[in-house]
Amino acid sequence: MLAQENHRRDSFWQITFPLIFGGLLILGFAVWIGFIAWSGSPVSQAADTALIFLIIPVLVVAFVFLIVTGGLVYLVIWLNQNIPFYAYRLQNIFSRIEGQTQTISDKAARPVLKAHGLSAALRAFVQIFRF
């Protein structure tokens, strides 16, 4: 239980807190820039329009990456939930294949082992009756 508490505390300070702090920092800059632009000159209006046309393509590309990242996250979560089930089924299949292979190998080796056993028994029998 102590390890889970440490993990929860560490994940807050190493992941959640920096994300929240960074988001608030970006939001603060956006509000600050908004106040500066709101009280600006007529030239500022043309600059703001040009900036919008520069930012829109970047947002579209960022949105595509967001969708791809979301899809990858969904795939990893799905794999994490379903791999144990399919791995267990695959392990059972390979276990059955191993059993069948072992049976076939035993059947193939049986005549050879029987011949060697009879040969060894015959040699031992001859050695016993040899003076």
Side-chain angles (χ1 to χ4, degrees), residues 31-107:
V31 169
W32 180 57
I33 290 172
F35 279 129
I36 289 174
W38 185 51
S39 63
S41 64
V43 175
S44 173
Q45 187 176 9
D48 291 343
T49 305
L51 187 62
I52 288 171
F53 285 115
L54 289 173
I55 291 175
I56 287 174
V58 174
L59 287 176
V60 169
V61 172
F63 186 68
V64 169
F65 280 115
L66 177 69
I67 289 172
V68 168
T69 303
L72 289 174
V73 166
Y74 178 77
L75 178 66
V76 167
I77 290 170
W78 184 86
L79 285 173
N80 196 20
Q81 290 173 349
N82 292 319
I83 279 181
F85 171 72
Y86 290 114
Y88 178 73
R89 291 186 63 184
L90 192 63
Q91 183 180 12
N92 285 341
I93 289 169
F94 280 112
S95 181
R96 279 191 272 166
I97 291 172
E98 177 194 10
Q100 291 295 327
T101 305
Q102 189 72 33
T103 303
I104 292 169
S105 299
D106 288 346
K107 286 180 181 179

